[in-house]
Amino acid sequence: MAEPRVILDAGHGGTDPGAVFQGRQEKDDNLRLALAVGEELQRRGIPVDYTRTEDVYQTPFEKASIANNSGADFFVSFHRNSSPEENQYSGVEVLVYDKTGKKLDMAENIVGAMGEVGFQEIGVKERPGLVVLRKTRMPALLVEAGFINSDEDNELFDAQFEQMVEKIADAIVGTLHEGTFETGQETDREENLAQERNYRVQTGAFEKRENADRMLYELQNQGYPAFILEQDGYYRVQVGGYRDMENAISMEQKLRRAGYSTVIVG
């Protein structure tokens, strides 16, 4: 029987540095950790894919799309946490869509493994609104590998890096080899995805209607199927209405190249 395939995501990247502290950028720590864990997993015979292996920008929707098209059985995203004030908090937490199935087991195992390295164990938390947890069609979790603005966590991250990588790999491999996957929630989410496919690309949100109108006319003059949606006190300028995420991503990339600040909604 083939080993389960894992796709690793290094959060942020490119023009999106993530959290920044004293010149340290989250995107760099995320990529370093994802690549190292991937190398260790491959050494142990686990097939690994990545959402990125270089310093490139991807929207969360792009990351989810890459994962869904990879054929992977499990999705693990790496991040660093941050707090409003430096050295305010420290510790590791893992985020999941909900606390069910194999992903919960792996999340708890990773928290415990990093506790063995010396990190405080914050625990596992539900975050159903996160795109990379909500739009992926396989068990998915997001690891917050300590606070980037905590001197204590940064010291552990750097000094115990190799041990941390081994412990995370231990947790992932151990969970993958524990029984069978419980995919009921992932199946439910996949059915929900099919029902809610109406992805749009938002290019702006304005308090004043005239500002939204100005962008609307500009987009329509360039041939984009743009419209205004009044929602939550804002006039939101959006383009398209796509059943497939890939089509929305294609439009989002086109608009971004044209100079617009974009986000996929749906």
Side-chain angles (χ1 to χ4, degrees), residues 183-202:
T183 58
Q185 177 60 36
E186 280 62 47
T187 301
D188 291 343
R189 278 198 292 145
E190 188 168 355
E191 291 174 356
N192 290 337
L193 285 172
Q195 295 174 2
E196 65 182 41
R197 283 175 182 161
N198 183 18
Y199 304 110
R200 305 173 303 282
V201 183
Q202 184 166 297

PDB file of all heavy atoms in Angstrom, residues 183-202:
ATOM      1  N   THR A 183     -12.406  10.700   6.978  1.00  0.00           N
ATOM      2  CA  THR A 183     -12.560  11.773   6.004  1.00  0.00           C
ATOM      3  C   THR A 183     -13.978  12.310   5.910  1.00  0.00           C
ATOM      4  O   THR A 183     -14.317  13.020   4.976  1.00  0.00           O
ATOM      5  CB  THR A 183     -12.131  11.273   4.604  1.00  0.00           C
ATOM      6  OG1 THR A 183     -12.924  10.131   4.271  1.00  0.00           O
ATOM      7  CG2 THR A 183     -10.671  10.889   4.587  1.00  0.00           C
ATOM      8  N   GLY A 184     -14.835  11.987   6.887  1.00  0.00           N
ATOM      9  CA  GLY A 184     -16.225  12.429   6.809  1.00  0.00           C
ATOM     10  C   GLY A 184     -16.344  13.934   6.703  1.00  0.00           C
ATOM     11  O   GLY A 184     -17.078  14.457   5.876  1.00  0.00           O
ATOM     12  N   GLN A 185     -15.605  14.674   7.540  1.00  0.00           N
ATOM     13  CA  GLN A 185     -15.700  16.130   7.503  1.00  0.00           C
ATOM     14  C   GLN A 185     -15.171  16.669   6.184  1.00  0.00           C
ATOM     15  O   GLN A 185     -15.731  17.610   5.617  1.00  0.00           O
ATOM     16  CB  GLN A 185     -14.904  16.741   8.668  1.00  0.00           C
ATOM     17  CG  GLN A 185     -14.899  18.260   8.667  1.00  0.00           C
ATOM     18  CD  GLN A 185     -16.287  18.840   8.769  1.00  0.00           C
ATOM     19  OE1 GLN A 185     -17.145  18.299   9.454  1.00  0.00           O
ATOM     20  NE2 GLN A 185     -16.531  19.936   8.081  1.00  0.00           N
ATOM     21  N   GLU A 186     -14.080  16.072   5.675  1.00  0.00           N
ATOM     22  CA  GLU A 186     -13.541  16.555   4.412  1.00  0.00           C
ATOM     23  C   GLU A 186     -14.533  16.312   3.276  1.00  0.00           C
ATOM     24  O   GLU A 186     -14.671  17.122   2.375  1.00  0.00           O
ATOM     25  CB  GLU A 186     -12.200  15.862   4.133  1.00  0.00           C
ATOM     26  CG  GLU A 186     -11.020  16.459   4.892  1.00  0.00           C
ATOM     27  CD  GLU A 186     -11.159  16.343   6.410  1.00  0.00           C
ATOM     28  OE1 GLU A 186     -11.509  15.251   6.897  1.00  0.00           O
ATOM     29  OE2 GLU A 186     -10.937  17.349   7.102  1.00  0.00           O
ATOM     30  N   THR A 187     -15.249  15.177   3.330  1.00  0.00           N
ATOM     31  CA  THR A 187     -16.269  14.918   2.325  1.00  0.00           C
ATOM     32  C   THR A 187     -17.381  15.953   2.422  1.00  0.00           C
ATOM     33  O   THR A 187     -17.862  16.477   1.415  1.00  0.00           O
ATOM     34  CB  THR A 187     -16.847  13.501   2.505  1.00  0.00           C
ATOM     35  OG1 THR A 187     -15.793  12.549   2.383  1.00  0.00           O
ATOM     36  CG2 THR A 187     -17.911  13.215   1.461  1.00  0.00           C
ATOM     37  N   ASP A 188     -17.804  16.259   3.643  1.00  0.00           N
ATOM     38  CA  ASP A 188     -18.835  17.276   3.827  1.00  0.00           C
ATOM     39  C   ASP A 188     -18.373  18.611   3.284  1.00  0.00           C
ATOM     40  O   ASP A 188     -19.130  19.331   2.636  1.00  0.00           O
ATOM     41  CB  ASP A 188     -19.166  17.423   5.312  1.00  0.00           C
ATOM     42  CG  ASP A 188     -19.892  16.198   5.859  1.00  0.00           C
ATOM     43  OD1 ASP A 188     -20.405  15.407   5.043  1.00  0.00           O
ATOM     44  OD2 ASP A 188     -19.924  16.043   7.088  1.00  0.00           O
ATOM     45  N   ARG A 189     -17.102  18.962   3.530  1.00  0.00           N
ATOM     46  CA  ARG A 189     -16.603  20.243   3.050  1.00  0.00           C
ATOM     47  C   ARG A 189     -16.556  20.258   1.532  1.00  0.00           C
ATOM     48  O   ARG A 189     -16.846  21.270   0.903  1.00  0.00           O
ATOM     49  CB  ARG A 189     -15.202  20.520   3.616  1.00  0.00           C
ATOM     50  CG  ARG A 189     -15.211  21.075   5.013  1.00  0.00           C
ATOM     51  CD  ARG A 189     -13.904  21.712   5.344  1.00  0.00           C
ATOM     52  NE  ARG A 189     -12.865  20.702   5.441  1.00  0.00           N
ATOM     53  CZ  ARG A 189     -11.621  20.892   5.075  1.00  0.00           C
ATOM     54  NH1 ARG A 189     -11.259  22.013   4.547  1.00  0.00           N
ATOM     55  NH2 ARG A 189     -10.712  19.950   5.230  1.00  0.00           N
ATOM     56  N   GLU A 190     -16.201  19.138   0.923  1.00  0.00           N
ATOM     57  CA  GLU A 190     -16.152  19.088  -0.533  1.00  0.00           C
ATOM     58  C   GLU A 190     -17.544  19.292  -1.114  1.00  0.00           C
ATOM     59  O   GLU A 190     -17.722  19.992  -2.120  1.00  0.00           O
ATOM     60  CB  GLU A 190     -15.562  17.763  -0.993  1.00  0.00           C
ATOM     61  CG  GLU A 190     -15.304  17.710  -2.491  1.00  0.00           C
ATOM     62  CD  GLU A 190     -14.456  16.528  -2.884  1.00  0.00           C
ATOM     63  OE1 GLU A 190     -13.978  15.797  -1.993  1.00  0.00           O
ATOM     64  OE2 GLU A 190     -14.281  16.330  -4.094  1.00  0.00           O
ATOM     65  N   GLU A 191     -18.564  18.693  -0.469  1.00  0.00           N
ATOM     66  CA  GLU A 191     -19.936  18.904  -0.934  1.00  0.00           C
ATOM     67  C   GLU A 191     -20.344  20.358  -0.754  1.00  0.00           C
ATOM     68  O   GLU A 191     -21.015  20.942  -1.607  1.00  0.00           O
ATOM     69  CB  GLU A 191     -20.878  17.986  -0.144  1.00  0.00           C
ATOM     70  CG  GLU A 191     -20.688  16.514  -0.472  1.00  0.00           C
ATOM     71  CD  GLU A 191     -21.514  15.606   0.404  1.00  0.00           C
ATOM     72  OE1 GLU A 191     -22.175  16.143   1.323  1.00  0.00           O
ATOM     73  OE2 GLU A 191     -21.510  14.387   0.181  1.00  0.00           O
ATOM     74  N   ASN A 192     -19.926  20.969   0.356  1.00  0.00           N
ATOM     75  CA  ASN A 192     -20.234  22.375   0.579  1.00  0.00           C
ATOM     76  C   ASN A 192     -19.566  23.253  -0.468  1.00  0.00           C
ATOM     77  O   ASN A 192     -20.134  24.246  -0.928  1.00  0.00           O
ATOM     78  CB  ASN A 192     -19.785  22.808   1.978  1.00  0.00           C
ATOM     79  CG  ASN A 192     -20.639  22.175   3.050  1.00  0.00           C
ATOM     80  OD1 ASN A 192     -21.765  21.775   2.802  1.00  0.00           O
ATOM     81  ND2 ASN A 192     -20.100  22.087   4.258  1.00  0.00           N
ATOM     82  N   LEU A 193     -18.335  22.882  -0.856  1.00  0.00           N
ATOM     83  CA  LEU A 193     -17.629  23.656  -1.876  1.00  0.00           C
ATOM     84  C   LEU A 193     -18.416  23.676  -3.180  1.00  0.00           C
ATOM     85  O   LEU A 193     -18.524  24.709  -3.838  1.00  0.00           O
ATOM     86  CB  LEU A 193     -16.245  23.053  -2.123  1.00  0.00           C
ATOM     87  CG  LEU A 193     -15.178  23.310  -1.070  1.00  0.00           C
ATOM     88  CD1 LEU A 193     -13.932  22.481  -1.379  1.00  0.00           C
ATOM     89  CD2 LEU A 193     -14.822  24.782  -1.000  1.00  0.00           C
ATOM     90  N   ALA A 194     -18.955  22.523  -3.545  1.00  0.00           N
ATOM     91  CA  ALA A 194     -19.699  22.456  -4.798  1.00  0.00           C
ATOM     92  C   ALA A 194     -20.932  23.338  -4.753  1.00  0.00           C
ATOM     93  O   ALA A 194     -21.351  23.895  -5.770  1.00  0.00           O
ATOM     94  CB  ALA A 194     -20.097  21.006  -5.078  1.00  0.00           C
ATOM     95  N   GLN A 195     -21.527  23.478  -3.559  1.00  0.00           N
ATOM     96  CA  GLN A 195     -22.736  24.277  -3.423  1.00  0.00           C
ATOM     97  C   GLN A 195     -22.441  25.771  -3.407  1.00  0.00           C
ATOM     98  O   GLN A 195     -23.272  26.581  -3.804  1.00  0.00           O
ATOM     99  CB  GLN A 195     -23.459  23.881  -2.140  1.00  0.00           C
ATOM    100  CG  GLN A 195     -23.969  22.446  -2.154  1.00  0.00           C
ATOM    101  CD  GLN A 195     -24.551  22.039  -0.816  1.00  0.00           C
ATOM    102  OE1 GLN A 195     -24.620  22.835   0.118  1.00  0.00           O
ATOM    103  NE2 GLN A 195     -24.961  20.794  -0.709  1.00  0.00           N
ATOM    104  N   GLU A 196     -21.243  26.171  -2.929  1.00  0.00           N
ATOM    105  CA  GLU A 196     -20.979  27.590  -2.735  1.00  0.00           C
ATOM    106  C   GLU A 196     -20.072  28.197  -3.791  1.00  0.00           C
ATOM    107  O   GLU A 196     -19.562  29.276  -3.635  1.00  0.00           O
ATOM    108  CB  GLU A 196     -20.346  27.808  -1.361  1.00  0.00           C
ATOM    109  CG  GLU A 196     -18.985  27.189  -1.198  1.00  0.00           C
ATOM    110  CD  GLU A 196     -18.422  27.378   0.189  1.00  0.00           C
ATOM    111  OE1 GLU A 196     -19.174  27.243   1.155  1.00  0.00           O
ATOM    112  OE2 GLU A 196     -17.209  27.658   0.294  1.00  0.00           O
ATOM    113  N   ARG A 197     -19.862  27.496  -4.903  1.00  0.00           N
ATOM    114  CA  ARG A 197     -18.961  28.001  -5.929  1.00  0.00           C
ATOM    115  C   ARG A 197     -19.542  29.233  -6.604  1.00  0.00           C
ATOM    116  O   ARG A 197     -20.348  29.136  -7.515  1.00  0.00           O
ATOM    117  CB  ARG A 197     -18.687  26.919  -6.983  1.00  0.00           C
ATOM    118  CG  ARG A 197     -17.710  25.851  -6.533  1.00  0.00           C
ATOM    119  CD  ARG A 197     -17.596  24.772  -7.588  1.00  0.00           C
ATOM    120  NE  ARG A 197     -16.699  23.714  -7.174  1.00  0.00           N
ATOM    121  CZ  ARG A 197     -16.685  22.500  -7.704  1.00  0.00           C
ATOM    122  NH1 ARG A 197     -17.509  22.201  -8.684  1.00  0.00           N
ATOM    123  NH2 ARG A 197     -15.848  21.584  -7.271  1.00  0.00           N
ATOM    124  N   ASN A 198     -19.140  30.373  -6.153  1.00  0.00           N
ATOM    125  CA  ASN A 198     -19.464  31.630  -6.818  1.00  0.00           C
ATOM    126  C   ASN A 198     -18.355  32.599  -6.463  1.00  0.00           C
ATOM    127  O   ASN A 198     -18.531  33.527  -5.684  1.00  0.00           O
ATOM    128  CB  ASN A 198     -20.821  32.167  -6.354  1.00  0.00           C
ATOM    129  CG  ASN A 198     -21.211  33.421  -7.088  1.00  0.00           C
ATOM    130  OD1 ASN A 198     -20.669  33.718  -8.154  1.00  0.00           O
ATOM    131  ND2 ASN A 198     -22.124  34.187  -6.516  1.00  0.00           N
ATOM    132  N   TYR A 199     -17.183  32.325  -7.024  1.00  0.00           N
ATOM    133  CA  TYR A 199     -16.000  33.099  -6.680  1.00  0.00           C
ATOM    134  C   TYR A 199     -15.947  34.382  -7.499  1.00  0.00           C
ATOM    135  O   TYR A 199     -16.218  34.392  -8.695  1.00  0.00           O
ATOM    136  CB  TYR A 199     -14.734  32.275  -6.935  1.00  0.00           C
ATOM    137  CG  TYR A 199     -14.726  30.955  -6.213  1.00  0.00           C
ATOM    138  CD1 TYR A 199     -14.842  29.765  -6.915  1.00  0.00           C
ATOM    139  CD2 TYR A 199     -14.620  30.910  -4.832  1.00  0.00           C
ATOM    140  CE1 TYR A 199     -14.846  28.547  -6.256  1.00  0.00           C
ATOM    141  CE2 TYR A 199     -14.621  29.696  -4.161  1.00  0.00           C
ATOM    142  CZ  TYR A 199     -14.729  28.523  -4.877  1.00  0.00           C
ATOM    143  OH  TYR A 199     -14.732  27.321  -4.214  1.00  0.00           O
ATOM    144  N   ARG A 200     -15.594  35.477  -6.818  1.00  0.00           N
ATOM    145  CA  ARG A 200     -15.476  36.774  -7.464  1.00  0.00           C
ATOM    146  C   ARG A 200     -14.153  37.409  -7.065  1.00  0.00           C
ATOM    147  O   ARG A 200     -13.587  37.071  -6.020  1.00  0.00           O
ATOM    148  CB  ARG A 200     -16.647  37.672  -7.050  1.00  0.00           C
ATOM    149  CG  ARG A 200     -18.005  37.054  -7.312  1.00  0.00           C
ATOM    150  CD  ARG A 200     -19.157  37.876  -6.760  1.00  0.00           C
ATOM    151  NE  ARG A 200     -19.058  38.127  -5.331  1.00  0.00           N
ATOM    152  CZ  ARG A 200     -19.363  37.250  -4.382  1.00  0.00           C
ATOM    153  NH1 ARG A 200     -19.781  36.041  -4.715  1.00  0.00           N
ATOM    154  NH2 ARG A 200     -19.262  37.564  -3.106  1.00  0.00           N
ATOM    155  N   VAL A 201     -13.681  38.331  -7.874  1.00  0.00           N
ATOM    156  CA  VAL A 201     -12.435  39.036  -7.578  1.00  0.00           C
ATOM    157  C   VAL A 201     -12.776  40.467  -7.178  1.00  0.00           C
ATOM    158  O   VAL A 201     -13.363  41.217  -7.970  1.00  0.00           O
ATOM    159  CB  VAL A 201     -11.486  39.048  -8.793  1.00  0.00           C
ATOM    160  CG1 VAL A 201     -10.167  39.729  -8.409  1.00  0.00           C
ATOM    161  CG2 VAL A 201     -11.234  37.633  -9.284  1.00  0.00           C
ATOM    162  N   GLN A 202     -12.436  40.835  -5.972  1.00  0.00           N
ATOM    163  CA  GLN A 202     -12.714  42.181  -5.477  1.00  0.00           C
ATOM    164  C   GLN A 202     -11.499  43.072  -5.689  1.00  0.00           C
ATOM    165  O   GLN A 202     -10.378  42.703  -5.335  1.00  0.00           O
ATOM    166  CB  GLN A 202     -13.070  42.135  -3.992  1.00  0.00           C
ATOM    167  CG  GLN A 202     -13.464  43.490  -3.410  1.00  0.00           C
ATOM    168  CD  GLN A 202     -14.116  43.345  -2.050  1.00  0.00           C
ATOM    169  OE1 GLN A 202     -15.191  42.739  -1.921  1.00  0.00           O
ATOM    170  NE2 GLN A 202     -13.476  43.861  -1.024  1.00  0.00           N
TER     171      GLN A 202
END
